[in-house]
Amino acid sequence: MCGIFAYLNYNVNRERSYILQVLFNGLRRLEYRGYDSAGIAIDSASFLSVNGDPNSSSNSISAHTPPPLVFRQEGNIESLVKSVYQEVADVELNLEESFLTHAGIAHTRWATHGEPAPRNSHPQSSGPEDDFLVVHNGVITNYEVLKETLVRHGFIFESETDTEVIPKLAKFVYDKANEAAGDQIVTFSQVVLEVMRHLEGAYALIFKSRHYPNELIACKRGSPLLLGVKELRENQENGSAFEDNKFLSKDGHPKELFLSSDAHAVVEHTKKVLVVEDGEVVHLKDGGVSILKFENDKGEHVGPLSRVASVRRALSILEMEVEQINKGHYEHYMQKEIHEQPESLTTTMRGRLIRRGSSKSKSVLLGGLKDHLKTIRRSRRIVFIGCGTSYNAALAARPILEELSGIPVTMEIASDLLDRQGPIYREDTAVFVSQSGETADTLLALQYALDNGALCVGITNTVGSAIARKTHCGVHINAGAEIGVASTKAYTSQIVVMAMLALAIGGDTISSQARREAIVDGLYDLPKIGIFANVGWLNWLDRTASTKRSKYTNYKVKEVLKLDQEMKDLAQLLIAEQSLLVFGRSYNYATALEGALKVKEVALMHSEGILAGEMKHGPLALVDENLPILVIATRDACFSKQQSVIQQLHARKGRLIVMCSNGDAASVCPGESCKVIEVPQVEDCLQPVINVVPLQLLAYHLTVLRGFNVDQPRNLAKSVTTQ
């Protein structure tokens, strides 16, 4: 969704051109979240150069401080960059002007209220003098009531956004507080805390004000936000130093501070971050960071403003490298992430598969769950909750979890669970699946499950995300940064993690031991390098490689990626089509849904995943010689049923594309006109990991050939942080 970014340099000279580039590059790192317009705000002049007294009151400061420069533009970031430099040239603004301290804010907007247009872009303003500026990620649900109140007090609204009420409310609070306070100084944090008291909904906000130059305030409720800290010391190697116990203090040391919706915009500057919690207000001032904890209606009210307690927090270190968020030698992020799957699956499983030197001792170790496995095994049911691709991944894992655990497993789309207020019981285990860990509907469903007393398990790709923090336990999929909006490697890693979850829950059942060991072997067979936790497994592998497991030299995901050119050729045949049907069943019903979703998301072609068992209950009416139909018919317990489906579609002159296991082409292809995609065979519960890769490649090549943006599909966002 929207991306927010801010950069504050303290006690270190930075030219205006440098500040602009930091802001622009921050927005570029957030492009993958999805957006349709962008904007920035910087100072028009140094505060000290126009005022000269850093101890002046806010009233005298605002009287001398010129309004900030605000730039907003519809379209992509490069359109914003072009318009900024054009406007800078028109007004002859000095790009070489240096600022010892400066605070700038930036935003990418994904339209929710009001069409994409400069007036609706952020930063949104309090009025003509830009006394308060705000960038916002989220939705304010009570904005209409606030807007009506502010209009009655003489405020004029220029945009259709929900965000515009925030800076105008800040100005209203500031003006009223100064009238009541007399000679007392009204602080920036007091203003923001009072604004928060009136807001309902989900948000992450960054405030900038000419009344409080060189200060920024950030706060959040529901939407993601983090602070990056980079201290600059001449006597430190690489120009960076950090002390946990001093980073909050106003020590006068030069430093750079960053605020961002996620880590991608921060990691190139620093790995030292603080994940802002709900209800926290982060105030950047004089090189220091103060954190206030706000709880609505619980603060002590003195006059019109609130007093709340301050808190101390520790920084954490990002486990991310800049190289992870670069394309490398690939043309697009989606292409890169599809081809990274052997490595991402290896990382997902590393240290979690166990062999203790014997073929009879194979299991999994999920450290984040080990203390809760007994509780999960006693559950009356397991409820998977997710949205989009994450829901599909859970659906792919449901059969093996039911088989190995013996516990009923139900599926819930997060938004539908909330709409229905479906029953969740204390005896349930609710598993929340989200790549970002910040999906708005999934987070609301998580709170609903917590309120109902269920054990909540998180499966996410993002360390420190809201789901990771709020669930009782969980597993990180460790797939690495995923930039493309259409999820690829995170999907396959989610399936693998949930297969390992099934192995862990069913690990105490003797009757399924052989099945579990076969799955462990199959997991090893997916990626391309060693992943086992115990040293003893190497000796076992050496003893048996020539007899029992010669296929270890044949790594399955790497093998299926060799279909890249074949999928490109198939995409060329389908380039002019308007629709595509994908039939699957059992484990591969999820594959049909996910493959259709990928084509729909990026290639902008209507596609539909259909449960093959439902073919005669409506979908068969669509079949003719023109409509392309892809049937997934790899070897599993439903193979003969899929053969029957193929025969029926062929009898009605269906235009068939069949995905089958290697060597099965003759068994599944009823005529010469049938197109066949042969894939490696693995354990049935892991087959969705293999089968989805050709569909990912097909969607990618279809999109490129049709001339659409692969990494930023129309109208879509990577992380859906609003309802």
Side-chain angles (χ1 to χ4, degrees):
M1 306 296 284
C2 301
I4 60 178
F5 182 75
Y7 168 58
L8 190 153
N9 58 292
Y10 172 74
N11 213 13
V12 53
N13 275 305
R14 296 298 189 212
E15 292 184 350
R16 181 179 276 116
S17 60
Y18 178 88
I19 293 167
L20 284 171
Q21 282 306 310
V22 171
L23 294 174
F24 290 147
N25 287 335
L27 293 184
R28 290 185 181 105
R29 294 298 191 191
L30 298 174
E31 278 188 300
Y32 80 100
R33 296 173 65 86
Y35 72 108
D36 44 53
S37 58
I40 64 169
I42 59 173
D43 291 338
S44 55
S46 169
F47 158 57
L48 290 178
S49 69
V50 297
N51 189 69
D53 182 5
N55 298 312
S56 303
S57 70
S58 64
N59 286 330
S60 62
I61 287 172
S62 56
H64 294 90
T65 304
L69 300 173
V70 181
F71 306 92
R72 296 183 291 226
Q73 185 66 34
E74 178 186 351
N76 60 26
I77 290 167
E78 300 316 311
S79 298
L80 173 67
V81 173
K82 183 178 179 180
S83 70
V84 168
Y85 284 119
Q86 182 63 55
E87 191 168 339
V88 164
D90 291 343
V91 300
E92 298 182 351
L93 188 68
N94 182 11
L95 290 176
E96 296 180 359
E97 181 178 356
S98 186
F99 295 80
L100 187 63
T101 301
H102 179 278
I105 59 176
H107 186 269
T108 54
R109 176 177 185 257
W110 192 83
T112 56
H113 297 73
E115 65 182 359
R119 70 180 183 280
N120 292 324
S121 302
H122 299 204
Q124 283 290 307
S125 171
S126 59
E129 296 298 315
D130 294 328
D131 289 357
F132 289 88
L133 295 171
V134 169
V135 290
H136 170 213
N137 174 24
V139 171
I140 304 302
T141 55
N142 65 330
Y143 82 98
E144 291 178 329
V145 174
L146 294 174
K147 185 174 181 178
E148 290 174 3
T149 302
L150 291 166
V151 167
R152 287 199 300 269
H153 284 87
F155 285 88
I156 298 172
F157 283 76
E158 299 177 354
S159 78
E160 298 135 48
T161 68
D162 56 329
T163 304
E164 193 178 1
V165 301
I166 303 171
K168 285 179 166 51
L169 181 59
K171 178 168 173 54
F172 177 75
V173 168
Y174 174 82
D175 291 343
K176 291 297 182 183
N178 274 287
E179 289 175 10
D183 294 334
Q184 290 184 330
I185 295 176
V186 178
T187 67
F188 201 179
S189 58
Q190 285 177 311
V191 173
V192 172
L193 285 164
E194 186 64 18
V195 169
M196 288 180 69
R197 199 166 66 86
H198 292 84
L199 299 181
E200 297 176 6
Y203 55 79
L205 305 170
I206 303 176
F207 290 79
K208 175 179 171 66
S209 174
R210 61 190 294 243
H211 298 296
Y212 306 98
N214 302 330
E215 298 182 40
L216 292 175
I217 287 192
C219 59
K220 68 162 293 229
R221 181 187 294 155
S223 298
L225 186 66
L226 60 82
L227 166 72
V229 179
K230 181 180 182 181
E231 287 202 275
L232 305 170
R233 307 263 187 95
E234 291 182 0
N235 62 339
Q236 294 292 330
E237 195 174 306
N238 298 326
S240 178
F242 166 64
E243 296 178 77
D244 278 335
N245 61 339
K246 292 185 178 179
F247 92 99
L248 293 171
S249 63
K250 300 175 182 179
D251 53 16
H253 293 140
K255 56 176 67 73
E256 293 176 308
L257 302 170
F258 306 86
L259 292 161
S260 178
S261 296
D262 64 41
H264 296 100
V266 172
V267 67
E268 63 184 292
H269 302 289
T270 180
K271 291 188 177 181
K272 293 140 190 173
V273 301
L274 181 146
V275 178
V276 182
E277 300 279 1
D278 280 355
E280 289 185 340
V281 178
V282 180
H283 190 177
L284 311 185
K285 179 182 179 182
D286 298 335
V289 181
S290 59
I291 303 175
L292 304 175
K293 184 67 176 178
F294 173 78
E295 295 184 25
N296 201 13
D297 296 329
K298 294 184 180 180
E300 178 188 352
H301 293 274
V302 179
L305 301 178
S306 303
R307 290 181 182 176
V308 294
S310 62
V311 296
R312 291 189 64 83
R313 296 278 309 283
L315 293 180
S316 56
I317 304 299
L318 282 177
E319 296 181 3
M320 179 186 295
E321 301 296 335
V322 176
E323 292 73 19
Q324 290 181 269
I325 55 176
N326 291 330
K327 293 178 188 174
H329 64 276
Y330 294 98
E331 293 184 26
H332 304 96
Y333 283 112
M334 184 178 179
Q335 181 188 29
K336 172 178 179 275
E337 288 152 11
I338 291 171
H339 287 272
E340 280 179 341
Q341 287 176 106
E343 290 76 22
S344 62
L345 289 170
T346 297
T347 305
T348 296
M349 291 184 275
R350 182 174 283 123
R352 290 169 166 172
L353 300 185
I354 299 175
R355 282 175 172 161
R356 296 187 176 89
S358 167
S359 62
K360 295 182 179 180
S361 183
K362 306 171 190 175
S363 59
V364 300
L365 175 64
L366 300 176
L369 291 181
K370 63 180 181 180
D371 294 335
H372 296 83
L373 282 176
K374 289 183 179 179
T375 304
I376 296 172
R377 288 167 182 155
R378 292 196 300 266
S379 300
R380 64 183 289 176
R381 63 172 180 165
I382 295 172
V383 186
F384 276 118
I385 301 168
C387 305
T389 286
S390 294
Y391 175 89
N392 293 341
L395 184 64
R398 176 173 66 174
I400 192 60
L401 187 56
E402 288 177 327
E403 177 187 339
L404 295 183
S405 71
I407 302 171
V409 178
T410 61
M411 303 294 306
E412 292 284 359
I413 296 173
S415 60
D416 184 54
L417 174 65
L418 293 166
D419 291 344
R420 296 179 359 250
Q421 292 289 288
I424 297 289
Y425 304 105
R426 292 178 59 86
E427 299 83 3
D428 290 340
T429 292
V431 183
F432 296 86
V433 190
S434 168
Q435 187 279 141
S436 68
E438 302 287 351
T439 309
D441 286 324
T442 307
L443 283 172
L444 290 172
L446 168 57
Q447 188 59 54
Y448 176 70
L450 289 170
D451 292 343
N452 282 278
L455 175 67
C456 295
V457 180
I459 296 177
T460 177
N461 194 34
T462 310
V463 176
S465 64
I467 286 178
R469 298 194 309 272
K470 294 180 179 181
T471 47
H472 297 108
C473 56
V475 186
H476 287 110
I477 67 172
N478 297 331
E482 190 177 65
I483 306 298
V485 167
S487 182
T488 52
K489 65 178 182 177
Y491 175 75
T492 51
S493 286
Q494 285 173 336
I495 294 175
V496 164
V497 160
M498 286 182 274
M500 291 192 290
L501 173 65
L503 290 168
I505 295 172
D508 61 344
T509 307
I510 296 176
S511 60
S512 64
Q513 181 174 322
R515 171 70 158 153
R516 294 197 309 273
E517 291 180 357
I519 295 170
V520 171
D521 288 340
L523 286 169
Y524 173 69
D525 211 15
L526 291 176
K528 68 172 184 177
I529 61 175
I531 50 181
F532 283 92
N534 286 54
V535 176
W537 76 271
L538 286 169
N539 295 329
W540 178 86
L541 180 59
D542 290 340
R543 292 197 305 270
T544 59
S546 60
T547 54
K548 297 181 180 179
R549 299 292 294 165
S550 61
K551 70 175 182 177
Y552 275 124
T553 59
N554 188 15
Y555 298 101
K556 303 302 184 179
V557 176
K558 192 173 182 181
E559 182 182 343
V560 80
L561 284 168
K562 295 176 183 178
L563 295 172
D564 192 11
Q565 184 59 47
E566 188 176 332
M567 292 301 99
K568 185 175 181 179
D569 295 340
L570 178 58
Q572 189 68 58
L573 296 175
L574 299 176
I575 188 172
E577 299 299 329
Q578 299 299 312
S579 293
L580 174 69
L581 299 186
V582 187
F583 284 93
R585 70 195 313 149
S586 186
Y587 290 103
N588 284 299
Y589 174 42
T591 308
L593 292 175
E594 179 63 13
L597 178 61
K598 286 293 149 291
V599 172
K600 191 183 306 177
E601 281 181 310
V602 293
L604 310 187
M605 175 193 289
H606 170 259
S607 53
E608 188 176 349
I610 298 174
L611 184 64
E614 291 291 296
M615 180 186 67
K616 295 178 182 177
H617 301 279
L620 197 59
L622 298 173
V623 177
D624 60 21
E625 64 274 14
N626 297 314
L627 177 66
I629 302 170
L630 195 154
V631 181
I632 302 169
T634 46
R635 288 272 177 178
D636 58 21
C638 297
F639 178 65
S640 61
K641 294 180 180 179
Q642 288 300 80
Q643 284 181 303
S644 175
V645 167
I646 293 167
Q647 291 292 340
Q648 293 177 62
L649 293 172
H650 177 66
R652 290 159 179 81
K653 300 181 180 180
R655 187 178 166 191
L656 287 172
I657 305 163
V658 178
M659 182 183 295
C660 65
S661 301
N662 285 335
D664 276 348
S667 302
V668 299
C669 192
E672 294 182 1
S673 61
C674 177
K675 172 70 178 175
V676 176
I677 304 168
E678 294 190 66
V679 298
Q681 184 177 350
V682 295
E683 285 293 316
D684 55 3
C685 63
L686 303 178
Q687 195 68 51
V689 175
I690 298 297
N691 292 355
V692 79
V693 175
L695 301 181
Q696 293 171 346
L697 290 168
L698 175 63
Y700 169 76
H701 288 300
L702 263 175
T703 308
V704 173
L705 291 171
R706 288 161 72 103
F708 299 127
N709 190 326
V710 176
D711 293 326
Q712 296 162 29
R714 184 177 67 196
N715 301 332
L716 296 182
K718 179 66 176 174
S719 179
V720 183
T721 55
T722 60
Q723 288 183 280

